[in-house]
Amino acid sequence: MRITINSIAISSIVIAIILFVAATIWMSAVITEPSGDSIEAHEVRVKYLTFKLDVYKTITIGFLVAILGLLIPNILPEAKYKFELLKEGRRIYSKAKTGIDYFRFELADLNRLSARAHIHEIHEHKHIADEYDIPNWEGIYRKPYGVYKTIMAYLDLVENTESPWDTLTFEERRSKLLELHEHIENERNKYKQ
């Protein structure tokens, strides 16, 4: 028989209720509440009520400890897993976003094959970042130039310039990259307005 968290929680609740009822019956039947109007009777009544409160507190604390003892070992690993997943997702997201942001600087130094490989690597990071469901990931690159279209625009520039990419000087590549970057930013700004 497999014991589940729900069955343990329900058992704890049932036991706590039984203990409350048993303690109430026991205190009502066995220990009678003192009566009288004298100061001593009031002091005894205060002690009686304090004892009654302590019994209920003990049952409540026992119940809470049982529930916490049940929940903590099950919640902590899940919380740690979610934290690690978020941490890994942000690391991948950072690689993808930074890679895209620096295309205009890095691609100028690379020949066509190396530039394609670099764009491909950033594109892979983009797909992995998509899997982590990072908030505002697509919102950073607004339409009409979303993340995918931005990556493809840089790939298209490397693949389809008037002169082959490898024949361009560093300054010519840099100029084309900056021109594309400005075009993309202008298109994004139009969309934001």
Side-chain angles (χ1 to χ4, degrees):
M1 180 173 121
R2 187 168 178 231
I3 298 175
T4 63
I5 295 173
N6 289 341
S7 64
I8 294 172
I10 290 170
S11 299
S12 297
I13 292 170
V14 168
I15 290 170
I17 291 170
I18 290 169
L19 287 173
F20 269 105
V21 170
T24 303
I25 292 170
W26 175 71
M27 285 186 281
S28 298
V30 175
I31 305 171
T32 57
E33 185 172 343
S35 60
D37 291 334
S38 67
I39 294 177
E40 293 84 21
H42 285 293
E43 288 176 358
V44 172
R45 188 175 300 123
V46 168
K47 287 181 182 178
Y48 170 79
L49 293 174
T50 303
F51 172 74
K52 207 173 181 181
L53 181 63
D54 288 343
V55 169
Y56 288 134
K57 278 200 262 182
T58 303
I59 294 170
T60 303
I61 290 171
F63 170 72
L64 292 176
V65 167
I67 293 296
L68 287 175
L70 172 70
L71 294 178
I72 289 174
N74 292 300
I75 291 174
L76 287 180
E78 185 176 336
K80 182 179 179 188
Y81 172 75
K82 285 181 180 178
F83 174 76
E84 292 296 328
L85 192 64
L86 182 63
K87 184 176 160 184
E88 178 66 14
R90 288 188 180 190
R91 189 182 67 75
I92 294 293
Y93 158 81
S94 178
K95 276 186 173 182
K97 184 179 181 319
T98 304
I100 294 167
D101 290 344
Y102 284 89
F103 273 160
R104 66 183 186 270
F105 305 114
E106 294 175 349
L107 296 177
D109 284 332
L110 303 174
N111 64 32
R112 188 177 69 80
L113 289 175
S114 297
R116 281 179 54 195
H118 180 67
I119 293 169
H120 178 75
E121 178 184 356
I122 299 304
H123 193 174
E124 283 181 358
H125 290 310
K126 175 251 187 248
H127 283 297
I128 294 169
D130 288 344
E131 295 298 316
Y132 285 96
D133 196 26
I134 303 293
N136 298 324
W137 168 223
E138 279 293 333
I140 292 167
Y141 297 95
R142 303 221 181 268
K143 292 178 182 176
Y145 276 92
V147 177
Y148 177 76
K149 193 165 182 184
T150 300
I151 292 170
M152 290 299 110
Y154 280 99
L155 180 62
D156 187 54
L157 177 68
V158 169
E159 290 292 327
N160 300 317
T161 53
E162 302 83 35
S163 302
W165 188 256
D166 288 340
T167 63
L168 299 174
T169 65
F170 172 82
E171 290 303 321
E172 291 170 327
R173 290 178 190 169
R174 179 103 165 98
S175 174
K176 288 185 178 294
L177 289 165
L178 288 174
E179 185 179 307
L180 176 60
H181 175 74
E182 287 176 18
H183 170 72
I184 290 170
E185 288 302 310
N186 287 338
E187 291 298 315
R188 284 187 192 140
N189 289 335
K190 285 180 195 175
Y191 179 75
K192 288 178 186 176
Q193 297 172 356

